[in-house]
Amino acid sequence: MRIGLKEPKRWLPLGLMLIFPLLGYMYHFVDHPTRHVHSLVTSFDRATPFIKYFALPYGVWIFYIYVCLIYFYFKDRKAYYRSIALYTVCALTCYAIYSVFQTTVPRPAVTGDDAFARLVTYIYHRDEPYNCFPSIHCFSSYMVMRMIFTSPARGRWNRVLIGTMSVTIICSTLFMKQHVILDAVSAFALVEIYRLLLLKTASWFGQQNAVRRQQMQA
């Protein structure tokens, strides 16, 4: 009976991941052009080729983020909670920016009838060419990579696997012509800013709790 009661409680914190479908629902309210749509395309972006094969890592992005979070849940619970909080504030910040500063990226014509061309067509049809700056794909992929690189659970193989996959997804946003380099750079900055704020906040609360414990013991 004790095991039966204990096991469900073990899985309850994973329910925090339900924030993802809620944020996905909110996304549709800003997935359209505003009165003024801007372009942040640089010469670097114009020189970046369109490579349809990157549609695969681009398409599995959200499942990859889910897998990373579940991995954090079992290997580093603090990283799990911080990732949920960090993703939420970064996503909401992106939505706020999209609502007042909408950008777009020109898409190339998709030719061919192979599986990758069809996948690109599906992605282009499903996702409007807006909501680019900052990139949600980039900030979330960079976030899980940043988490594992600083986690006590970090090891050679999990750093290689998560690092390689995150970099591949970030590159896919450029090769798929879904984002430009400034979208990626702003995404990295967003993670670093909020990560620092969350760490400072957690440190402050930790110090306050320590002071309260000392006062109670005095």
Side-chain angles (χ1 to χ4, degrees):
M1 178 63 69
R2 290 180 180 177
I3 295 176
L5 291 174
K6 184 178 179 181
E7 286 302 313
K9 293 180 181 179
R10 181 188 180 192
W11 298 94
L12 282 177
L14 285 173
L16 291 173
M17 292 179 65
L18 292 174
I19 191 68
F20 286 95
L22 176 60
L23 290 171
Y25 176 76
M26 295 173 62
Y27 177 85
H28 294 291
F29 289 100
V30 291
D31 191 23
H32 55 77
T34 54
R35 185 173 182 179
H36 299 288
V37 179
H38 307 272
S39 174
L40 300 178
V41 177
T42 65
S43 57
F44 175 87
D45 301 299
R46 285 189 285 271
T48 302
F50 166 71
I51 305 176
K52 62 184 176 182
Y53 303 110
F54 276 89
L56 185 57
Y58 185 92
V60 302
W61 154 74
I62 193 61
F63 302 104
Y64 164 69
I65 299 300
Y66 288 160
V67 169
C68 287
L69 289 177
I70 293 172
Y71 179 78
F72 291 156
Y73 178 77
F74 289 104
K75 294 296 184 178
D76 183 356
R77 195 65 61 88
K78 285 185 178 180
Y80 170 75
Y81 290 126
R82 287 173 180 171
S83 295
I84 294 289
L86 192 54
Y87 185 99
T88 301
V89 294
C90 285
L92 292 176
T93 300
C94 286
Y95 296 170
I97 294 173
Y98 299 156
S99 64
V100 296
F101 184 74
Q102 189 61 271
T103 64
T104 188
V105 179
R107 289 174 169 177
V110 182
T111 59
D113 193 38
D114 58 280
F116 290 100
R118 290 196 296 270
L119 182 56
V120 172
T121 301
Y122 171 76
I123 292 172
Y124 281 1
H125 176 75
R126 187 174 180 274
D127 191 14
E128 295 289 337
Y130 306 105
N131 296 349
C132 302
F133 176 88
S135 165
I136 294 177
H137 270 66
C138 289
F139 94 62
S140 53
S141 299
Y142 178 75
M143 176 192 76
V144 294
M145 180 173 65
R146 195 74 168 82
M147 285 293 176
I148 195 60
F149 281 11
T150 57
S151 170
R154 66 185 181 275
R156 177 183 178 184
W157 290 110
N158 57 17
R159 283 184 296 169
V160 169
L161 289 173
I162 293 178
T164 301
M165 189 62 187
S166 288
V167 170
T168 301
I169 291 175
I170 292 168
C171 290
S172 76
T173 66
L174 303 178
F175 290 126
M176 277 281 293
K177 297 300 181 179
Q178 286 287 87
H179 291 282
V180 295
I181 190 64
L182 289 177
D183 300 336
V185 172
S186 62
F188 305 155
L190 196 63
V191 170
E192 290 298 333
I193 291 170
Y194 277 124
R195 181 176 176 276
L196 179 61
L197 289 175
L198 287 175
L199 289 175
K200 291 291 186 181
T201 302
S203 176
W204 183 84
F205 276 112
Q207 292 174 358
Q208 293 301 310
N209 289 333
V211 170
R212 291 192 188 97
R213 285 195 295 268
Q214 291 176 354
Q215 291 174 345
M216 293 175 64
Q217 293 173 358

